Amino acid sequence: MSREGSPREKPTDESASTHQPLSVMDAGSVDTQVTPDAQTQEVLNSENELSTSITLDSTQIPSLPELTQENNEQQEEQEEEEGGGGEADEQTTQIDQQDIQPEQITTVTDNENQDIVEKPEHESPPRLPDTFYYDAEKIHAKPLTTNEATFPQNTLTMFRSFAYDCDKRGNLHILDNKTVMFAAACVIEIIDLPSGQHRYIQTTGGYSIGAVVVHPNRQYFAVGEKGDIPNIVIYEYPSLRPYRILKAGTQRSYAYLDFNTEGDLLASLGSSPDYMLTIWDWRDEKILLRSKASSQEVFKVSFSKDLKGHLTTSGIGHIKFWKMARTFTGLKLQGELGRFGRTEISDIEGYRELPDGKVISGTEWGNMLLWDGGLIQIEVCRKKGKPCHNGPIQQVLLNESDVYTVGEDGYIRIWDFETIDTAEAIDEGSKMEMEPLNELRVGTDSKLMGIKHGVVDDMSLWFAQDARGNIWKLDLTFSKNSVDPEVLLSFTSGAVTGLDTSSVYHMFTCSAGNTIRIYNILTQEILSQKMFVTNVTSLKWLPTVFDEKSDGILVGFSDGVIRYFKLRSGIKPNGTEKKFEFDLRMIQVLKPHTKSVTFITVEVKNQWIATGSTDGTVFFFNFTPKGLNPIGFVNVNETITFMTWTPAQYDKTCLLVCLNNGVILEYEGPGGIKFDTSTSYLIETQLPVRIFRFRSIKSRLRHEEELERKRKEEEERQRKLEEERRLRGIEKKEKEGERPTEQEEEEKKEEDDWKPYIPETPSAALFAAYTSPDTFWLSMDNYDAGYLYHCQFSNKDDRFQYNPERQDTIVNTLPVPNTDLADGNDIPLTSILIREKLNLICVGLKNGFIRIYPYGGTQIFQSLDDYWTRGSHDTEYGIVTHLITSFDDRFAFSGGADGNIFGYVVKEDLNIFQEQFEIPKMPAYTGEIEPQDITEPKHYSIEEEKQRAEQDKMKKSAEGLKSEMRQRVEGLRGKFRRLLIENDQLPADLRTARQDFILDENIRQNFLAELQDKIDLSVKELAWESERCNVALRKLEQWFVDPVAQDVVSVKSFDGQWEVSTFRTIELPKDFYSLQEEIERQKNALLDKGKRKETIEISDEKAGESREARTTESKSSTTKLKGAKAMRVERLLRKMEERAKRRQKRKEEWTALYQKKKPEGYADPVEVENIRYAKDNMGNYFLKSASDYVVPVEQRLTVLRALDRIMKLRFVTYTYKMKFNQRVLDLIQRKRTLTEQINNELVRLRNLGQSQPNYEELFNIPLLPSVHDGQENRFHFTREEIQAFREEHEQRNGDLTKPDEDSSNTNTRQSSIKRPIDLRWSVNLKEPLPSNILNRNRSNETTTNDNTPINILREVNDPENSNFDPFTYRSFFERDQILENVKETMRTFDNDVCLLYYLKMIKTLRAKETDLRCITFYEELMLMKEFERTENDLENKVVEAQKRFDNEQTKINEFNGKIDLKKKDIENLDERMKHIYARFDEMIPKEHKFYNYLLRVLNKKIKRKKRVEGEEADDADDMSQDLDEEEDWELEDEEDEDQIANEDPTRQLDVDICPPNLDQKVYDDVVALREKRLDLDEAITDEKSVLQSLQQTLGQTQIYSNKIDAELKSKQADLIDFQKKKQRKINDINVAIGIRCHQIRYDRSTHLPDDLSDALIFNRINKLGLTNRIVDVKTEIKREKERYVNKKQERKDLSHELKHAAQVIKLLTDECNKLMVEKFGKLVQLEKLEGAIVNLQIEELKQKLDDAGDEYYNTMTQYELLKIEEHDDTIDLLKTNTKRLDELTQLVDEKRLLDEQLVSRKTKAADEFTGPSKQSIEEFDRLCTLVQLQAQEIEALKAEISILSRKGGHILPPNPAILPQNS
């Protein structure tokens, strides 16, 4: 394979390029390197100019496998200390050893988390150009051939993939709505759905594909390959050009890929052995981050859709949460492993990251897990503990407010996201039960692996991957208009188990799973397809020797059945089956095996067929035109791996059987031998066999190869050594006598100790090929792979005498070249196809490759060095199991365990399809009847049938003996019963007692005990079944009986014409009323929320009024003054209050008057209400289906309103049904009462008839039957009824709805188990009476129509009747009265029943309409639940935005208020400034000669210091300083200009010094006035700065408010759009309305249109109202115009009156001001003037001051007295202290004297005695003790003196411990 280098790659030397192992498909890349094209070279040159080359030493940098191994070791054995930059924690790695990147990547390993951080150097090259593309022809893999002449590149050219690896995870991708893409082993297959065009993309490495992912913008897709250091290739769509190649992301293969939401990052997940998680900057082909995902298999990786930098991985028994975090060492991946806790550990296939960081995942058992912070928060299941899915959950999706789960059970279920997200666990491992909102069953036997969204905005287009081989098109809108799932593409599923071609036409058949398909090779169309219940495990297309038309196919199945089919044409499909050109008709079915039939081989010469099975048997058949005739079978007791017959040119026909234990059996053909199969088909002992037991020699071969290699190395070493010696001139020493070196001795010892290795488990024999009748080539699996073994049979049969030491002959071996560098082990050869015509041998490999060798004649293989190979099937699990060619060897096909089937053109190009070929033709279907199929899995095989036949014969004989014995016993029983009968017929004295018939009481008791034991045992055996039936009955009653509030009960009229029944009414749920209360509570809460603002405003107003009231009360409260002053002040205050009340009253009058004034834009409430009423009732009807229709807020349908409607509707329906049912029950009770009354009358009538014996029959009228309500014991049945029902059930084959077959009339017989639940009886007194009650004197010619009671009465009343009796007449009169009363009673009751009957019809119609409406409401409720979360989110956003906007508006209003206040303050300061200048004008008239000078003094600008608290500001000069020199010069310049202009003579005067001629007092007053002006200037400046700050803040707030306003409008627009979308969904719900024909009107023509789909349901009264409204509107318009003219004139008159009133007010105001000036000299405010007269606060403060002075005086007096007392106490204490001090002084003197005496005595004693005497020592000790005691006494006295010297001290008694002790 030739490669094109990346523009980032730099050319290296030859040695560097050899470090990278080449792919098996790299043809010609071993010694050469392809030069980049012009565009690539240009990019290289540009990069060489911009960046410097970086040379890496490959010997110091570990390769990726080594790096992975090091990471694994670090993960297994973590270090205690974290690395901080050492050599063990930081290492530089080379990503691709062949393709060196121009930047260095530093790998930092965190020992704690095992995270690997990739940090590029600062000097990174520029990005790749966006226009750069790779050359597909150069990078895509090509076949590898060792001899181009023998094996050209087009030896096999793939033209079509016929299958789909549907079991692969995530193997369905959508490029657009018409194009799907998936991986098919080594190619990417892209299918255009409308045209059916297939396009294929080869891999770059020659191996298969691991993962595929599509970019979010669908402009690119990434393909992760398999192999040795595989690549990730990113293609552009739709050009399919290679855009980027990512290298060195994993070691063996990629398991999963995923783009982030922005599409700038790509996450790749490697499979075994490294499981490396890598984050790519794919546009620059750079690795950003890398970490080992797990030590177990990982299935999936994905970026979070909402949280940037978050990832999740899942796999076997784990889920892991990752985060891209930036640390001090750089960007790194931090992973947190999910902990299952008490929940069972599960493999996780599907999961989804939530916006809040939580993760929902599936489990193996079908439940969902909610993860939060690495822990399971809750487990979600369905009600009653049922799992969410029956099987693993393959995918979890999040769409708006719903969670979608896709399960292997074929269901897609939708769950409420909010319920799951807000779930809280009670304890660890707790579960939450909930039901899905909707669900969709895809197909009947689907196994969903995942779904993909189409390129649409709604949920109407989805594509599903089905592991059964289908690609579905789904509609997940879950509405009435949803489309059923549709199969877009269909393939076989599972491993390919059969593959064969026709020997006449270009057709081939394949089998996988439970399906057989037949394809046309030229058109690639499906000619026939057949599906079965069991899986197909093998098939064989019979050659023309068996069938001239080549239309027969043998198929083996997993249950051991073999079916023989023939292709027929012209058969019509049944039902919904898809029509194909041909159909497979079954000719024969038989079951020779008990397990899967894995091989079917045919022998052409003798027409034998052999089948092999996993049950360890080989069955031989003889083929006939009618099918297969069994010959017999042999046991091989091992799984069969391969079977083949000897070539046709051999004299002896044998069957070669390869077994899984490495044994090869050769059975002779069954011809010429007569087998005894009368009792069994086993012919194992009768059929000759040869056995070859393979014994591993691979270790010996490898050892010999190693020795040969070492020998050659040693020879080469000796040759070089001799050459070196020769060059140095050293003579060669004699080797005799020289001792061998230590290394040679060690090698010789190892050679002597070497023993061959024999694997414990023998390797399986994969296939064999004859080279002669006694020799064959053998391919082995597992350890013994890597060689082809040429084996030879021995003639000894030791099947029954196995010798484990036996060594069969292996003639020769051929080593198989291993070109798969991704797998260092030897690759087994799994299948073989020999084509002598093509001179080729095709071999399939276990790694999915196909290899072609040259045909070597009779020896098959001459050498394995020349070959052609290419990757075909999956590298990991795509074992090539089948290789075939067409009958003309122009086409070839391969099938693998990965489920893929590929078609190839042999040694030709694809133009072969343009040639003309014969069209396949098959015989027509002639109506043959297929044999009965074998459908039971436990059906006997033909061998078991033969064995069972013998057993059945023996059982039949035994049953015959048992039957004969039973007949004898039954005869004896009959004889005994006859004896008992005869005995009972005898007289009592001759009878024999029954006890005498008992021969032995013990036998009878034993028999009874045994019978009782059997009864007890039967009861115990049936206990479980009895309990099960009871439980089932209770469940049925709970489901069907208990919820029924009223069952159907009928009442019938007495005449039988009318009948009315109750409604079957279901009781309301137990929580119905609580739920209804909850709904009402929520509705009230919403209403209270809407009224809350009004309440707050009202409360604020009330609070303001209360504050005003409290202020008024405080003003009018009594003062705290006392005495005459209080009376004077109170009188003044009372006068002030009276005047204030009068002014307040006038102000209120003015306020009321001004309130009557209409403000600008005033709207009259009455008019507003009228306008609102007009809008609501104007008759403007909006179509809800209009595109611009927006539902008003009060009419918006929510979940609460929809649920409330359903609840109300159910309650109303339940109420009126129960009321009607009560009326029917009342009729039943009434009928029961009437029946009793009528029966009493009829009894009285019978008593009356006893007095008329001749006409007694006329009085004996039958009584009415009693009335029952039909509900008593309705569900209790007798055994007879149950038995009758069982018989009827069996008679009707389980369907009681079918009528009886022998029923001749239309009335069907009622089921025996169904009891009448109504009272279907009646008595009709209008019927003729019986003939026996007629008058016996009547003629027989009288018809029965005259035999009525009326005619008889006429006969009695006939005057000509001689038997006339007055009493008889009275009796008949009373009879007629009774009967008339009875008839009237019945008639009244019948009329009531008739009325109720018609009422029932109306109620029934209403009930049906209610049910339809309830269904509609329920659909709306489901739709509202679907939209609820999104709508609430949008509303919350709008409310939040509105709150923010209101807050900002409040702030703006506050700022405006503050600004207004500041402006008023500034105006007040300006007024004060004006007053200062007015004061200056009053002080200094303008005629004053120093006026200008003093004005300059006043206006002088002085820079003053800010005052500090605590400092006095009396001296203005100390608090201020002059302006700086520049300001002074500026002022002087300005003043000069002013003075020059005014010619002021005082211009030269200094303003800081009073002129001599100016009064100093005047100057000081002006300076003081200047200080006030300066204070005002500072205040004005401060206020203006505050005002400016407020204005700036207001501007910023307004800008932010405008931004929020725009956001609010955007949110409102989104909400309106969502409401429109929701309304459209609601409009899609069909509503059933029953209308009559006369209600349909069409105004545009006289004839109704054929299509009423666009019709509008409208109320006729409303339409008439709209029509009449036209006239009313015209009248109103005319009236309003007249009113407008009158109002205009009225406004004009009011304007004139307003002008006149303004003039009057102006005159009065001027007069008032004039009087005020005359009285006060200026305009004053009366309120301030009154406040100056008396100030209540000042008076109160004065009063408080006086009271406080009195209180203080009294307190000081008390303190003076207390001071005198304390002074006296102090004097006493001083005296005491003085006395104590005197005593102390005396003691000190005494002590001094004693010390002096002691010293003198010591001196004298020393002089007198040379040593101290005993007496002196004692005296000395006594004196020392005395001194110590005195010192203690002194200290005690000092302490006492100190205590006494303190104030308040107390005298304590002396301490006795320190007092002097008497000697």
Side-chain angles (χ1 to χ4, degrees), residues 154 166 384 514 544 611 669 707 717 730 782 1045 1173 1188 1228 1231 1409 1421 1511 1586 1644 1729 1794:
N154 65 344
C166 51
K384 298 182 180 179
N514 63 342
T544 54
T611 60
L707 292 178
R717 188 180 66 82
I730 303 175
N782 298 333
Y1173 178 80
D1188 57 345
I1228 294 175
K1231 187 173 183 180
E1409 292 177 350
L1421 176 61
E1511 294 183 358
V1586 174
R1644 297 183 179 178
L1729 188 62
L1794 291 175

Side-chain angles (χ1 to χ4, degrees), residues 1143-1165:
R1143 284 195 301 271
Q1144 183 65 24
K1145 183 177 180 182
R1146 287 196 299 271
K1147 188 183 294 184
E1148 291 176 355
E1149 291 176 356
W1150 278 105
T1151 302
L1153 186 61
Y1154 276 111
Q1155 286 179 353
K1156 293 180 181 179
K1157 180 181 178 181
K1158 304 300 187 291
E1160 191 70 23
Y1162 171 77
D1164 190 359

Side-chain angles (χ1 to χ4, degrees), residues 1280-1290 1296 1311-1314:
E1280 291 76 11
E1281 292 175 335
I1282 295 175
Q1283 184 63 29
F1285 173 77
R1286 184 179 291 111
E1287 294 175 357
E1288 185 178 3
H1289 188 271
E1290 294 175 355
L1296 296 178
S1311 175
S1312 59
I1313 202 66
K1314 294 181 180 179

Side-chain angles (χ1 to χ4, degrees), residues 671 747 819 1151 1335 1374 1685:
E747 292 177 356
T819 56
T1151 302
N1335 191 350
E1374 290 182 2
V1685 173

Side-chain angles (χ1 to χ4, degrees), residues 1254-1255 1257-1258 1330-1340 1342 1346-1348 1351-1352 1355-1356 1361 1363 1372:
N1254 296 329
Y1255 303 102
E1257 292 81 357
L1258 295 177
S1331 60
N1332 56 359
I1333 66 174
L1334 298 176
N1335 191 350
R1336 294 167 186 168
N1337 297 328
R1338 294 279 298 177
S1339 175
N1340 292 333
T1342 305
D1346 296 333
N1347 297 335
T1348 61
N1351 295 331
I1352 294 175
E1355 180 184 355
V1356 174
N1361 189 359
N1363 296 328
F1372 275 97

Side-chain angles (χ1 to χ4, degrees), residues 1637-1677:
C1637 294
H1638 72 275
Q1639 293 178 297
I1640 302 175
R1641 295 288 185 271
Y1642 192 66
D1643 298 336
R1644 297 183 179 178
S1645 65
T1646 57
H1647 301 286
L1648 287 175
D1650 296 333
D1651 186 11
L1652 295 178
S1653 59
D1654 295 334
L1656 181 65
I1657 304 296
F1658 201 77
N1659 196 333
R1660 180 176 58 85
I1661 298 176
N1662 293 341
K1663 183 183 177 183
L1664 294 176
L1666 290 176
T1667 305
N1668 298 331
R1669 181 62 180 163
I1670 296 174
V1671 180
D1672 297 340
V1673 167
K1674 291 180 180 179
T1675 305
E1676 289 179 2
I1677 290 173

